Amino acid sequence: MKVLALNCGSSSLKYQLFEWDNQSVISKGAMDRIGEKASVFSHDGKKDDCSLPNHVQAIELLLQTLQKEGVVASVTDINVVAHRVVHGGQQFAKSVLITDEVVSAIRELSFLAPLHNPANLDGIEAARKGMPNVPQVAVFDTAFHQTMPDYAYRYALPAEWYDKFRVRRYGFHGTSHLYVSKRAAKMLGKPASACNIITLHVGNGVSVAAIRNGVSVDTSMGMTPLEGAIMGTRCGDIDASIPIFMQDLTKRSAKEVYDDMNKRSGMLGITAGRYTDRRDIEKFAADGDEQCKLAMEMECYKLKQYIGKYMATLGTVDAIVFTAGVGENSPTIRGITTSGLEALGIKLDKAINEKTYGYKDCGDVQISAADSKIKVFVIPTNEEIVLVEDAIGVLKGTYADHMNYQYSFL
Ligand code: ADP
């Protein structure tokens, strides 16, 4: 069985084609600068310049290339397409087969994610056009967090804002939190439904989730990915008065200030526009750069506070998981984040922590000390496997929701 996983942005398309029978990726690549004069198609180690005015042409070229290179004999060899969709609002609490009604619902939700959902829809429509007989499945970034209780997802804002405009917290990175929390349960030797876990997805984007008995009960990102922890270029939690204060003071537009908070803040902002990559920040902090030192301290302090906050949310915690680019690769950031938490039952094995890094190669590792009450794991995330397995489950009718589905990685 072949599954094509697609992740479409406004000017990009990333794909992976899986051969499920032997659990391998048989082709993967990306198309960039779709809609611009000169587009680029990188696939399986090759890089071609091409012209891709829109996603329909991008999918056409992808399908032609897969056939020309003998990856598939025909488009109908692809059994199902899995699309990553950013915002599922309150309508989608699980992955679904894409129908005309689902497309309309995703379109209707575009007001909540105006940059992402239209791009995801372009990809869905192009794929449905290019592969009219292949079933397509939508996997939402927000779906995993739909189990949050109202007192966690509501903001203390006028009720009308929620009732009329659906202003509430949704959370993102759902497939990643889902995957690593289930892997953590496996490492704990218990079913996910018996585990309380705090997952820290620390990459360019950063989010933390509190997972009780296998389901998300709180997460740090909010109505948009701007809320929560400090990120590569996003500010995370701030006093909500600051944007209007800066608009008044600098006479800049709401859009400009919003862009500053999304694209010029976080680690980039603290280092005065110099670095987002934590490797640079760690290196220069070690060399004595004061802004880099501060950026690291602030990032770790905020993550530590989220651990404390979610320990209070959960009451008892079985494990804490670090994942994504930084979580998987930075012993320093994991070390500072968890330092001083021994009284809460969190103690790292310093030697194991130090040697656990190397993108995706380290596997799932326990980095807590043998006498740590709460286990701490590094688990490389694998969002694609969730897309692929959900798509197969939806296709075969074996998927009800993530708690009632036999993922291969359980
Ligand atoms: P994205 O949110 O874009 O998917 P990733 O999860 O791939 O991001 O994480 C990317 C980030 O991971 C980089 O910006 C970099 O800061 C960080 N990173 C990667 N390797 C290391 C490392 N060895 N040490 C510290 N940070 C790292």
Side-chain angles (χ1 to χ4, degrees):
M1 176 173 285
K2 291 184 177 54
V3 187
L4 179 63
L6 287 180
N7 183 353
C8 294
S10 55
S11 64
S12 68
L13 176 160
K14 290 195 197 100
Y15 81 92
Q16 289 198 14
L17 183 63
F18 287 82
E19 177 51 78
W20 187 245
D21 302 337
N22 59 14
Q23 307 255 329
S24 60
V25 177
I26 50 175
S27 178
K28 68 184 224 178
M31 291 164 159
D32 288 305
R33 293 194 235 134
I34 298 171
E36 292 178 29
K37 277 208 189 90
S39 315
V40 187
F41 180 21
S42 331
H43 59 106
D44 304 321
K46 286 162 268 186
K47 204 168 186 177
D48 300 324
D49 293 326
C50 51
S51 167
L52 298 171
N54 54 47
H55 285 81
V56 173
Q57 257 111 338
I59 296 275
E60 255 172 34
L61 177 65
L62 171 60
L63 296 175
Q64 275 165 14
T65 308
L66 291 174
Q67 291 172 88
K68 201 172 76 197
E69 303 203 339
V71 181
V72 293
S74 120
V75 167
T76 50
D77 282 2
I78 298 170
N79 300 85
V80 59
V81 182
H83 293 267
R84 177 177 175 213
V85 179
V86 167
H87 219 303
Q90 298 193 135
Q91 280 92 320
F92 297 106
K94 58 184 184 177
S95 303
V96 292
L97 187 70
I98 296 177
T99 59
D100 291 343
E101 290 71 39
V102 168
V103 168
S104 303
I106 297 171
R107 180 167 298 114
E108 198 263 327
L109 288 167
S110 290
F111 80 102
L112 288 169
L115 292 179
H116 294 101
N117 274 28
N120 300 152
L121 275 173
D122 284 346
I124 290 172
E125 291 188 330
R128 290 179 99 196
K129 200 159 173 224
M131 293 168 274
N133 299 316
V134 180
Q136 322 249 338
V137 170
V139 181
F140 300 90
D141 262 18
T142 49
F144 182 67
H145 301 298
Q146 276 297 301
T147 40
M148 281 194 282
D150 52 4
Y151 55 80
Y153 71 66
R154 284 288 298 271
Y155 292 110
L157 290 167
E160 189 191 25
W161 292 20
Y162 171 68
D163 296 337
K164 273 200 187 157
F165 308 112
R166 282 175 265 169
V167 173
R168 51 157 283 182
R169 309 181 59 252
Y170 291 95
F172 298 87
H173 288 148
T175 47
S176 178
H177 291 293
L178 182 161
Y179 175 80
V180 300
S181 62
K182 291 191 191 291
R183 292 293 297 180
K186 191 177 161 88
M187 289 182 82
L188 290 163
K190 296 200 276 186
S193 58
C195 296
N196 286 356
I197 298 169
I198 298 172
T199 47
L200 293 96
H201 177 113
V202 190
N204 215 359
V206 181
S207 70
V208 188
I211 296 164
R212 176 184 289 130
N213 299 331
V215 302
S216 174
V217 291
D218 208 346
T219 189
S220 59
M221 284 180 167
M223 176 161 141
T224 74
L226 185 56
E227 188 181 344
I230 294 172
M231 315 186 203
T233 63
R234 296 190 193 112
C235 58
D237 302 327
I238 56 164
D239 182 332
S241 313
I242 293 172
I244 189 79
F245 172 85
M246 287 305 291
Q247 272 175 253
D248 283 349
L249 207 65
T250 62
K251 307 289 173 239
R252 299 174 79 236
S253 68
K255 168 87 177 64
E256 285 172 312
V257 173
Y258 183 63
D259 276 353
D260 282 346
M261 295 192 299
N262 269 292
K263 298 182 186 153
R264 288 180 280 280
S265 297
M267 303 305 267
L268 188 66
I270 305 165
T271 60
R274 292 183 299 153
Y275 310 113
T276 57
D277 195 311
R278 313 315 194 277
R279 282 165 292 200
D280 295 326
I281 293 172
E282 278 183 40
K283 179 178 173 298
F284 293 112
D287 293 346
D289 183 302
E290 291 300 331
Q291 285 175 337
C292 290
K293 279 205 264 183
L294 179 64
M296 270 180 74
E297 276 167 10
M298 286 174 68
E299 173 164 49
C300 297
Y301 177 60
K302 195 76 183 178
L303 290 172
K304 187 193 296 258
Q305 288 191 312
Y306 267 106
I307 292 176
K309 181 169 162 172
Y310 289 162
M311 285 183 76
T313 296
L314 295 172
T316 58
V317 176
D318 299 289
I320 291 170
V321 182
F322 285 93
T323 193
V326 183
E328 292 164 26
N329 292 297
S330 176
T332 311
I333 289 174
R334 294 191 302 252
I336 301 172
T337 298
T338 51
S339 66
L341 297 182
E342 292 78 6
L344 297 180
I346 300 164
K347 187 173 156 199
L348 291 198
D349 180 316
K350 290 204 171 85
I352 297 178
N353 180 42
E354 281 309 317
K355 61 179 192 216
T356 301
Y357 60 87
Y359 230 150
K360 307 291 175 206
D361 298 334
C362 57
D364 301 348
V365 180
Q366 179 178 326
I367 58 166
S368 48
D371 60 345
S372 180
K373 204 168 125 248
I374 297 173
K375 302 251 186 297
V376 184
F377 300 133
V378 173
I379 300 181
T381 194
N382 191 345
E383 299 174 83
E384 290 77 21
I385 198 80
V386 178
L387 256 80
V388 167
E389 296 202 18
D390 281 9
I392 293 173
V394 168
L395 188 69
K396 289 186 172 170
T398 52
Y399 166 96
D401 55 57
H402 75 82
M403 290 303 282
N404 295 290
Y405 182 46
Q406 199 57 38
Y407 286 101
S408 68
F409 49 82
L410 294 182

